[in-house]
Amino acid sequence: RVECPVSTAHLLLRGSTLRNTKWALGLAAYTGRESKLVMNSTQAPSKFSNLEQTVNKLIYVVFAAQFVLSTVSLIGYIIWKELYYEYSYYLCYDYADSSLALFRENCESSDEYSDAGYFFTFFILYCNFIPISIYVTIEVVNYCQAFFIDNDLKMYDEELDMPATARTSNMNSDLGQIKYIFSDKTGTLTRNVMDFKRCSVDGRIYGSAPSAEGEGERPAEEAKG
């Protein structure tokens, strides 16, 4: 019997790969959600564009408005029925008390609905409020935008013979909503060149700025003065 103490050298974190060994004895240790790996894990980002998320929220608003209108219409129908139903003999409300045989014959076969059932009648009548076709229109526009991006000569790389490719067409609308671009060593990755241009520290600008006449660059302090 050989006893081997367990230390941090024998710890395998979740997601680790054990190589160059055929078997291993393991002891599962649950440390809760306070571990570094779990706390650094994030949820998958949403695949919906900002435009689609806005449209989805507006659909809920329209649906709520449709529900309110159906409820108000039902209340109005009940009030109208209590006030004017006796004058609306053609709606077959009191056909049993009618002395006209023809009237009783035509109304006996009609179905009677409860007042609450008319809520769904009004709800169906107001279904045109929900713009179902807007989703189809958005998809057609996204497809056309992706087609123009794929065939844009200004985004074609002649050296690599590679055009631009819109892999996700529903993200095209987000391109026009970008206000700020934060990048790190972009020139180093693409051109193997890193040039310091300008920076602002505590409201003071350091670096060089282009002159007004386009004659090269001059210090930023002179450009401000």
Side-chain angles (χ1 to χ4, degrees), residues 10-19 37:
H10 304 89
L11 179 63
L12 289 177
L13 298 177
R14 189 185 70 175
S16 302
T17 302
L18 187 62
R19 302 181 184 275
L37 185 62

Side-chain angles (χ1 to χ4, degrees), residues 198 204-212 215-225:
R198 303 175 70 185
R204 185 175 181 180
I205 299 178
Y206 298 89
S208 58
S211 61
E215 298 177 356
E217 296 182 347
R218 56 177 177 168
E221 297 296 335
E222 297 180 5
K224 291 176 60 178

Side-chain angles (χ1 to χ4, degrees), residues 7-179:
S7 63
T8 56
H10 304 89
L11 179 63
L12 289 177
L13 298 177
R14 189 185 70 175
S16 302
T17 302
L18 187 62
R19 302 181 184 275
N20 301 326
T21 184
K22 294 182 179 180
W23 59 273
L25 296 177
L27 175 64
Y30 178 70
T31 58
R33 300 187 58 85
E34 303 300 327
S35 60
K36 180 179 179 181
L37 185 62
V38 176
M39 296 181 67
N40 288 336
S41 61
T42 58
Q43 296 181 354
S46 175
K47 296 298 183 179
F48 294 99
S49 63
N50 293 333
L51 177 61
E52 291 177 334
Q53 294 178 4
T54 303
V55 172
N56 291 337
K57 294 178 181 178
L58 292 177
I59 291 298
Y60 289 118
V61 175
V62 173
F63 184 82
Q66 181 180 353
F67 183 86
V68 172
L69 286 176
S70 300
T71 304
V72 173
S73 300
L74 176 61
I75 296 174
Y77 166 75
I78 295 175
I79 295 175
W80 177 87
K81 180 180 177 181
E82 293 295 331
L83 296 177
Y84 302 104
Y85 80 97
E86 59 182 344
Y87 304 106
S88 304
Y89 58 89
Y90 50 86
L91 296 179
C92 299
Y93 283 127
D94 292 332
Y95 66 89
D97 298 334
S98 177
S99 59
L100 298 177
L102 181 62
F103 182 71
R104 291 198 304 269
E105 180 181 353
N106 293 331
C107 290
E108 286 178 353
S109 60
S110 62
D111 297 329
E112 294 185 2
Y113 300 96
S114 62
D115 293 339
Y118 283 95
F119 172 83
F120 300 98
T121 301
F122 290 116
F123 192 84
I124 294 175
L125 291 176
Y126 292 134
C127 276
N128 293 330
F129 285 173
I130 300 180
I132 302 299
S133 60
I134 192 173
Y135 288 100
V136 180
T137 304
I138 292 176
E139 290 299 327
V140 172
V141 172
N142 290 337
Y143 176 80
C144 295
Q145 290 177 346
F147 175 80
F148 288 132
I149 292 176
D150 294 341
N151 295 273
D152 193 347
L153 295 178
K154 295 182 179 180
M155 291 188 287
Y156 173 74
D157 191 343
E158 296 181 356
E159 297 181 359
L160 300 178
D161 190 20
M162 181 181 298
T165 303
R167 301 184 182 275
T168 306
S169 61
N170 60 344
M171 296 296 178
N172 298 335
S173 58
D174 290 348
L175 294 176
Q177 303 177 22
I178 296 176
K179 295 182 179 179

